[in-house]
């Protein structure tokens, strides 16, 4: 299991295992890792677990989040990465984390800022629509093997919008409540539960812990949204 080793000025202060799909770091006690120090924002960063990977995202913190000395907005963590949060260092330990980036691990995710943070900022829940600056290159092999898919919003913030699922991974839902990812691979699209006490629904049925293949015209309910998945007709 992946873990974080917390230290300050070279002295180890403790260990934290990444057991939850969403792991918050910040000054507020509601975070999974509370660091009560003025150099750390109330909700500084979050780590999302997708399969064997963990994705670190800065939540608009005052002092920023660094990985191996480089300021990041979003980063796929690698074994032995050193994260700087305020005056503190976190070493990420995960022997299962693959070095480098391959096509199956290419990520397209909008910021997953927590609900507590969004309420303070009076912002709407995060939705997947465009590729952030820190996202890595697109895996192109799927384009030549399987028809391009998309999502049409029926209810919720995406109502009336149509989004192409041209990237290998897209997140939908409401952070802190219920989040799912739709993954594009050469053999098709699948949906996986990431966060939430209750699983998302596909055609009114709860999905399991494993990835579930999506079919044309499937209806998805996640985080208060209703979405319709579709496949584009090829010429």
């Amino acid at each position: 299991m992946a873990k974080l080793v917390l230290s300050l000025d070279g002295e180890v202060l403790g260990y934290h295992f990444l057991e939850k799909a969403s792991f918050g770091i910040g000054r507020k006690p509601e975070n999974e890792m509370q660091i009560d120090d003025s150099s750390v924002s109330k909700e500084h960063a979050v780590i999302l677990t997708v399969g064997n990977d963990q994705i670190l995202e800065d939540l608009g913190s005052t002092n920023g989040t660094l990985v191996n000395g480089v300021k990041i907005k979003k980063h796929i963590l690698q074994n032995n990465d050193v994260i700087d949060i305020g005056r503190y260092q976190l070493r990420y330990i995960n022997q299962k984390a693959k070095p480098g980036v391959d096509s199956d691990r290419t990520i397209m995710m909008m910021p997953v800022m927590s609900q507590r943070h969004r309420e303070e900022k009076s912002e709407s829940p995060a939705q997947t629509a465009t590729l952030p600056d820190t996202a890595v290159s697109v895996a192109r092999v799927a384009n030549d093997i399987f028809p391009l898919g998309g999502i049409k919003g029926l209810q919720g913030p995406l109502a009336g919008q149509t989004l192409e699922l041209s990237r290998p991974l897209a997140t939908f839902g409401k952070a802190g409540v219920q989040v799912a990812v739709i993954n594009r691979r050469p053999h098709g699209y699948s949906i996986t539960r990431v966060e939430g006490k209750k699983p998302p629904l596909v055609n009114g049925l709860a999905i399991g812990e494993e990835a579930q293949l999506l079919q044309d015209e499937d209806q998805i309910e996640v985080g208060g949204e209703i979405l319709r998945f579709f496949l584009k007709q090829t010429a």
Side-chain angles (χ1 to χ4, degrees):
M1 181 181 296
K3 68 179 179 180
L4 298 171
V5 181
L6 176 66
S7 61
L8 177 63
D9 299 328
E11 180 181 352
V12 174
L13 303 179
Y15 302 84
H16 297 263
F17 289 95
L18 298 174
E19 299 176 312
K20 295 185 176 182
S22 178
F23 186 91
I25 304 169
R27 203 167 70 245
K28 293 178 69 174
E30 291 84 355
N31 289 288
E32 281 67 34
M33 179 189 289
Q34 182 190 14
I35 304 177
D36 191 8
D37 188 278
S38 60
S39 68
V40 179
S41 295
K42 292 179 180 179
E43 291 183 339
H44 197 106
V46 66
I47 297 175
L48 276 185
T49 297
V50 180
N52 289 329
D53 289 320
Q54 271 88 31
I55 300 99
L56 170 69
E57 182 178 348
D58 182 80
L59 296 178
S61 64
T62 301
N63 293 321
T65 300
L66 283 71
V67 176
N68 303 326
V70 179
K71 193 171 184 179
I72 61 95
K73 292 182 180 179
K74 191 187 302 291
H75 175 79
I76 302 175
L77 289 166
Q78 305 295 309
N79 189 38
N80 282 322
D81 274 350
V82 176
I83 306 164
D84 285 289
I85 290 185
R87 301 190 301 122
Y88 295 78
Q89 293 78 46
L90 302 170
R91 182 174 292 276
Y92 173 76
I93 307 296
N94 184 5
Q95 300 296 334
K96 293 183 179 180
K98 300 177 183 178
V101 178
D102 59 35
S103 62
D104 283 346
R105 299 173 64 246
T106 304
I107 300 298
M108 192 280 264
M109 298 177 70
M110 286 294 286
V112 291
M113 197 174 294
S114 76
Q115 181 63 17
R116 296 189 298 268
H117 186 81
R118 288 191 173 279
E119 288 173 352
E120 291 175 2
K121 297 284 187 178
S122 299
E123 296 175 358
S124 58
Q127 304 298 335
T128 301
T130 56
L131 185 67
D133 293 339
T134 54
V136 293
S137 61
V138 177
R140 303 184 187 281
V141 63
N143 294 339
D144 300 324
I145 300 176
F146 198 82
L148 183 65
I151 285 291
K152 182 175 182 179
L154 303 181
Q155 180 177 306
L158 289 178
Q161 298 184 45
T162 300
L163 306 177
E164 281 191 353
L165 296 175
S166 58
R167 307 295 183 178
L169 196 69
T171 60
F172 294 91
K174 187 175 183 180
V177 178
Q178 192 180 55
V179 177
V181 296
I182 294 179
N183 194 1
R184 186 183 189 205
R185 296 178 183 271
H187 62 269
Y189 289 85
S190 61
I191 184 170
T192 305
R193 174 182 180 179
V194 173
E195 181 182 6
K197 293 181 179 180
K198 295 182 179 181
L201 305 179
V202 175
N203 300 325
L205 299 176
I207 66 173
E209 295 299 325
E210 301 297 325
Q212 177 173 322
L213 285 174
L214 288 171
Q215 305 295 326
D216 190 32
E217 297 300 313
D218 276 350
Q219 185 166 294
I220 301 165
E221 297 178 50
V222 56
E225 296 183 79
I226 299 179
L227 311 166
R228 177 171 292 139
F229 172 78
F230 64 89
L231 293 174
K232 287 192 171 183
Q233 299 298 321
T234 57

